Amino acid sequence: MKLLTHNMLTSHVKGVTKGYPLLIKATEVKVNEVEFNPEFVSRMIPKLEWSALVQAAEGLGHLHELPAELTPDYEKNEEFLKKAHRVLLEVEVIEGCLQCPESGREFPISRGIPNMLLNEDEV
Amino acid sequence: MPPHKPYAFVTYRSEESAQKAHVHLNGQHMECGENSVTLYLSFVNSVACQAEVCVSLPEGLVLVEDFVSAEEEALLLAAVDWSSTNDDVTAQKALKHRRVKHYGYEFRYDNNNVDKDKPLSAGLPKECMHILERCVRNGHIDIMPDQLTVNQYQSGQGIPPHVDTHSAFEDTILSLSLGAKAVMEFRHPDGRVVPVVLPERSLLVMKGESRYLWSHGITPRKFDMVPACDPQSPAVITSDLSYNSSLTLNKRGTRTSLTFRKIRHAPCCCAFPSACDSQGAPSAPLPSPPSPPSLPRCHADAARLEEEYVHRVYDAIASHFSSTRHSPWPRVCHFLSSLPPGSVLADVGCGNGKYLGINPKVIAVGCDRSSALVQICAERGYQAFVSDALSVPLRTATCDACISIAVIHHFSTQVRRLAAVRELVRLLKPGGRALIYVWALEQEYNQQKSKYLKDYDKEHAENHHIPTDSALEDIKEAGNHSCLGHVSEGNQVPDGKLSVHINRTAFNAQDLLVPWHLKEGKGKKGEKEAGEDGKKTCLAPDTVQDFSSGPQSEPESSPAAVFHRYYHVFQQGELEQLCGQVSGVKVQSSYHDQGNWCVMLEKD
């Protein structure tokens, strides 16, 4: 699970109102090399919850000087985009779980895949 | 009172005590072993009870309670040596079946008969002898039995209904119940069912009609409904409340039955030829026919149906399925390519991720109910997670586009199909678009056969397997094969049963089970997709999933595994109408594409 994906995921346990962002508890994290496309990363930024991304990266120990807030003109800042690219697309949680911040319910991540299935009584 | 649920009715002596009970018990949590339940109590004006006549035991059936003492019971149980059983113990354990052991003669489950020329050397255990002498002395049987079958049932295990083979055994059959109580159900061919409680240490004597015509079986479950107190007729359960009999649940323990029988050497000449294999009946007749699944009537049933006929199947066939799903549909690709760069795209029901990489400029994430298929997405480098399409763990209004390709037709009720559309719409941002594809009932459209049907003709022309005449007959047969009525909006089949579709023929009903023949290793090259088939099936599938369980026989394994997937195929206009019920969204286009009905929605 890349942090880009984590940024989109939310807890959908019944009754939960503050299920986002999910807390990451990782037991195995990998960093891959992914081709850098500055335009693609730049277009991604406005679609994200930036603070949730920073929080997640920090929690994994992969913040690497990613700024806590977006600066204007980030689209042209290649250094910034490279850092964003790394955090969003190269850091991957392979094993661990995602925890709902409100209910505490844990969703396992196995072989890089989060299993978000709820039980009958949680829907 | 919501229908199709079990209820227990309680009467109190006074209104006051009833009210007290309601106050104290309603909403109470209870633990029962590993289960926890919540009690919900409601007052009702009356109880709709079936006015049943007091049911008597089947003709020829006698139950003798306390036939053996507790000491004798312990000795008999100890006398059975399970370690030296000559059945395949590991297979039994794996299948979680009851344990079985034979003495005297081996009972064969492949032909439901006994090898009369090969008696087992050991004979019946000596500990049984004085019990059998007691049976003869008390007039339950005229002759000493020479065959014994011991069955041991754990809680939750049972035996399917069956009649003991006429030609194998003489009339009287004796069954001693040890260790725990259980309910045995007797079924007459005319439909009558009589549940009989078999207490521990009781002897059941089956003669005449109860032995030759009624079937007997034990439903695999962990609890039986039994009379709560000593009623007049101790064994038979009646639901007639006017007799003041009350019911309670009995938790099953481990029950061991010792069934004693006398081997028959001459053909059977009983008065029940319809059930008699010596007089022409098939050797394993069942009073009740096999039952395929029916259309669900509530969410729980629907979820169970989908679990068995969608989710389990996809997980089992994932790699074969994926290998036949390599060509993305052009019009779907067109939709994807038209999305602005940087769009957030959710593919709900992404399968093997076929569409996740089509437009590399969008931020694509997929989800599917099948972890096996999501695994394939991950192997291909796509981002995907496991989830249900009815509850997608993405925040509301965060997607620029969603696609749902060949997904919603797997939901077995209209309510669930509508909920799936609503969920897609929820994910969309204002102005966002969703593309939905579902299988069409009408495979032929504008005189153009879909690829699915075309391949049928092509395969037959190429392979000369069957001359054209009989191919047409097969399609006609498909029409007769189904037990369904005319097709219309919200089609309900007369008896609610789902029929099995014959691959590559026209659909003649909206709710179907579609076979998938699993191939070892990769699928065939150039496998067609809308066809959903790994094998050319032109004749009625004779390796159909077996809905029945044969009497006393283990389930057969078919040489080529066939899976059945549930589909609700859509009629023209049905998908549009479904989407029309969702507020805040408009149908932008609606079309037929290669055997699918398709709709493109835009959120306000």
Side-chain angles (χ1 to χ4, degrees):
Chain A
M1 181 201 68
K2 300 186 180 183
L3 291 185
L4 168 63
T5 308
H6 166 261
N7 203 262
M8 296 168 61
L9 286 171
T10 183
S11 166
H12 52 155
V13 175
K14 185 166 74 170
V16 163
T17 49
K18 296 199 176 75
Y20 180 90
L22 292 156
L23 303 160
I24 308 178
K25 292 178 171 179
T27 54
E28 190 187 328
V29 178
K30 243 173 53 176
V31 181
N32 311 304
E33 212 180 289
V34 175
E35 200 186 313
F36 173 60
N37 184 329
E39 275 159 9
F40 185 51
V41 178
S42 158
R43 285 199 195 102
M44 216 184 276
I45 310 275
K47 313 276 181 175
L48 304 168
E49 276 292 327
W50 191 256
S51 54
L53 178 70
V54 171
Q55 193 186 345
E58 197 163 32
L60 292 179
H62 280 273
L63 192 55
H64 297 293
E65 300 161 11
L66 192 72
E69 269 169 36
L70 291 169
T71 53
D73 279 352
Y74 65 78
E75 311 96 329
K76 300 181 189 136
N77 186 335
E78 183 151 311
E79 273 229 27
F80 162 77
L81 290 176
K82 277 204 177 125
K83 288 181 192 161
H85 164 87
R86 186 174 201 277
V87 169
L88 284 164
L89 300 174
E90 294 190 330
V91 176
E92 219 181 319
V93 179
I94 304 297
E95 299 288 330
C97 70
L98 294 169
Q99 188 178 42
C100 170
E102 190 176 315
S103 69
R105 209 278 202 198
E106 289 184 354
F107 299 95
I109 302 175
S110 167
R111 295 158 89 181
I113 297 166
N115 186 331
M116 309 299 295
L117 279 178
L118 292 169
N119 300 323
E120 274 173 35
D121 51 328
E122 291 173 300
V123 175
Chain B
M1 282 165 47
H4 315 303
K5 287 189 180 299
Y7 294 93
F9 296 96
V10 185
T11 325
Y12 289 86
R13 272 188 238 279
S14 70
E15 222 179 273
E16 199 202 322
S17 40
Q19 282 171 342
K20 223 169 153 181
H22 190 272
V23 165
H24 289 289
L25 295 174
N26 193 32
Q28 280 295 320
H29 245 75
M30 281 172 63
E31 303 283 327
C32 176
E34 327 86 58
N35 304 311
S36 90
V37 293
T38 309
L39 291 178
Y40 292 110
L41 278 73
S42 287
F43 290 98
V44 292
N45 284 322
S46 61
V47 178
C49 72
Q50 299 149 296
E52 256 182 63
V53 213
C54 186
V55 183
S56 52
L57 292 176
E59 203 253 294
L61 194 72
V62 172
L63 182 72
V64 186
E65 298 205 39
D66 294 307
F67 193 73
V68 295
S69 67
E71 292 90 348
E72 288 172 325
E73 178 186 46
L75 283 166
L76 287 166
L77 286 172
V80 181
D81 179 10
W82 290 106
S83 62
S84 68
T85 182
N86 33 17
D87 293 307
D88 187 355
V89 176
T90 17
Q92 284 197 333
K93 275 195 184 146
L95 292 168
K96 293 187 191 160
H97 279 174
R98 67 187 197 280
R99 282 206 291 193
V100 175
K101 192 176 166 78
H102 303 286
Y103 295 85
Y105 291 81
E106 179 94 41
F107 185 84
R108 291 174 51 175
Y109 293 94
D110 55 352
N111 63 357
N112 285 328
N113 216 314
V114 163
D115 219 329
K116 299 175 192 179
D117 304 318
K118 295 196 200 126
L120 297 168
S121 54
L124 269 53
K126 58 184 188 328
E127 293 87 347
C128 301
M129 286 314 166
H130 73 287
I131 307 290
L132 290 173
E133 277 153 21
R134 187 181 303 163
C135 294
V136 174
R137 235 179 11 249
N138 295 9
H140 298 305
I141 195 170
D142 296 327
I143 189 171
M144 279 294 274
D146 54 8
Q147 198 272 339
L148 164 65
T149 295
V150 185
N151 281 291
Q152 191 176 73
Y153 305 82
Q154 302 294 332
S155 174
Q157 293 176 340
I159 184 170
H162 62 280
V163 178
D164 285 17
T165 306
H166 291 209
S167 66
F169 309 108
E170 296 287 356
D171 191 352
T172 308
I173 293 177
L174 304 167
S175 188
L176 190 63
S177 297
L178 305 173
K181 191 192 282 188
V183 168
M184 176 171 277
E185 274 138 4
F186 282 81
R187 286 179 169 81
H188 191 277
D190 66 13
R192 278 178 286 157
V193 181
V194 179
V196 180
V197 181
L198 303 177
E200 308 141 69
R201 296 178 288 105
S202 69
L203 179 76
L204 185 71
V205 184
M206 285 183 277
K207 267 187 203 159
E209 204 181 282
S210 69
R211 178 259 181 276
Y212 285 124
L213 188 62
W214 292 73
S215 75
H216 55 276
I218 296 177
T219 305
R221 53 187 179 215
K222 296 188 177 173
F223 290 89
D224 288 311
M225 272 207 303
V226 299
C229 50
D230 279 326
Q232 279 94 340
S233 151
V236 178
I237 299 161
T238 140
S239 59
D240 186 349
L241 296 175
S242 70
Y243 274 64
N244 261 335
S245 65
S246 42
L247 298 172
T248 187
L249 289 178
N250 175 65
K251 187 171 184 181
R252 286 223 192 137
T254 300
R255 173 178 170 272
T256 305
S257 71
L258 269 60
T259 302
F260 298 96
R261 300 178 277 205
K262 172 77 186 72
I263 299 291
R264 182 190 285 273
H265 294 285
C268 178
C269 51
C270 66
F272 311 96
S274 64
C276 184
D277 61 315
S278 295
Q279 299 178 64
S283 64
L286 277 177
S288 46
S291 51
S294 345
L295 269 178
R297 293 182 281 194
C298 63
H299 275 301
D301 286 350
R304 265 190 290 269
L305 180 85
E306 290 156 22
E307 174 63 38
E308 174 145 7
Y309 293 101
V310 180
H311 307 311
R312 277 198 207 161
V313 177
Y314 277 112
D315 271 340
I317 69 176
S319 59
H320 181 204
F321 176 80
S322 176
S323 66
T324 64
R325 293 296 178 275
H326 40 71
S327 323
W329 280 329
R331 287 184 79 168
V332 179
C333 294
H334 177 79
F335 173 83
L336 293 170
S337 304
S338 73
L339 298 174
S343 297
V344 175
L345 167 75
D347 183 347
V348 181
C350 61
N352 65 350
K354 185 163 79 170
Y355 293 111
L356 293 174
I358 297 291
N359 183 343
K361 295 194 173 164
V362 305
I363 303 163
V365 72
C367 66
D368 201 275
R369 184 62 175 67
S370 163
S371 31
L373 286 172
V374 174
Q375 184 60 42
I376 293 172
C377 293
E379 282 162 18
R380 294 182 172 177
Y382 300 132
Q383 287 289 283
F385 53 90
V386 182
S387 95
D388 197 310
L390 296 181
S391 177
V392 180
L394 297 173
R395 287 173 300 156
T396 302
T398 50
C399 297
D400 298 295
C402 296
I403 58 172
S404 164
I405 309 300
V407 178
I408 295 182
H409 52 210
H410 282 312
F411 286 106
S412 54
T413 67
Q414 198 262 8
V415 171
R416 288 165 79 79
R417 294 188 281 270
L418 181 59
V421 176
R422 280 199 214 278
E423 188 65 352
L424 285 172
V425 172
R426 178 185 73 80
L427 298 177
L428 289 175
K429 289 181 183 169
R433 290 181 298 154
L435 181 66
I436 305 175
Y437 267 54
V438 293
W439 261 18
L441 171 69
E442 306 88 342
Q443 285 294 304
E444 223 173 288
Y445 190 69
N446 283 339
Q447 278 90 44
Q448 269 279 302
K449 275 192 189 167
S450 72
K451 210 154 177 266
Y452 178 71
L453 287 184
K454 277 186 209 161
D455 291 335
Y456 181 93
D457 297 337
K458 198 172 158 205
E459 281 165 10
H460 283 79
E462 280 174 358
N463 298 296
H464 306 287
H465 275 176
I466 296 190
T468 347
D469 286 353
S470 52
L472 284 174
E473 267 177 41
D474 289 334
I475 295 187
K476 268 195 279 172
E477 205 220 338
N480 299 332
H481 169 79
S482 157
C483 55
L484 307 172
H486 68 281
V487 174
S488 62
E489 175 67 64
N491 179 46
Q492 277 291 313
V493 307
D495 59 352
K497 299 284 187 217
L498 296 171
S499 67
V500 178
H501 172 63
I502 295 170
N503 283 333
R504 302 202 185 283
T505 62
F507 295 122
N508 48 31
Q510 285 195 268
D511 293 280
L512 305 156
L513 297 171
V514 178
W516 179 280
H517 297 264
L518 188 65
K519 280 220 159 11
E520 301 288 317
K522 293 208 194 307
K524 294 196 315 196
K525 212 177 162 195
E527 249 330 314
K528 309 300 182 238
E529 290 179 27
E532 305 280 340
D533 193 4
K535 178 179 165 181
K536 293 169 269 231
T537 319
C538 15
L539 301 173
D542 53 5
T543 44
V544 166
Q545 204 160 320
D546 191 3
F547 296 117
S548 69
S549 34
Q552 301 171 12
S553 61
E554 308 302 302
E556 290 163 315
S557 55
S558 34
V562 183
F563 294 88
H564 291 89
R565 281 169 305 160
Y566 166 81
Y567 281 87
H568 170 88
V569 296
F570 282 65
Q571 274 190 86
Q572 180 165 18
E574 189 184 335
L575 180 60
E576 259 192 81
Q577 212 221 44
L578 191 70
C579 294
Q581 291 175 56
V582 181
S583 57
V585 84
K586 278 195 192 65
V587 175
Q588 291 292 19
S589 63
S590 166
Y591 55 93
H592 188 274
D593 182 16
Q594 282 310 306
N596 298 283
W597 286 116
C598 319
V599 141
M600 207 258 282
L601 303 173
E602 190 173 306
K603 191 156 173 182
D604 297 343

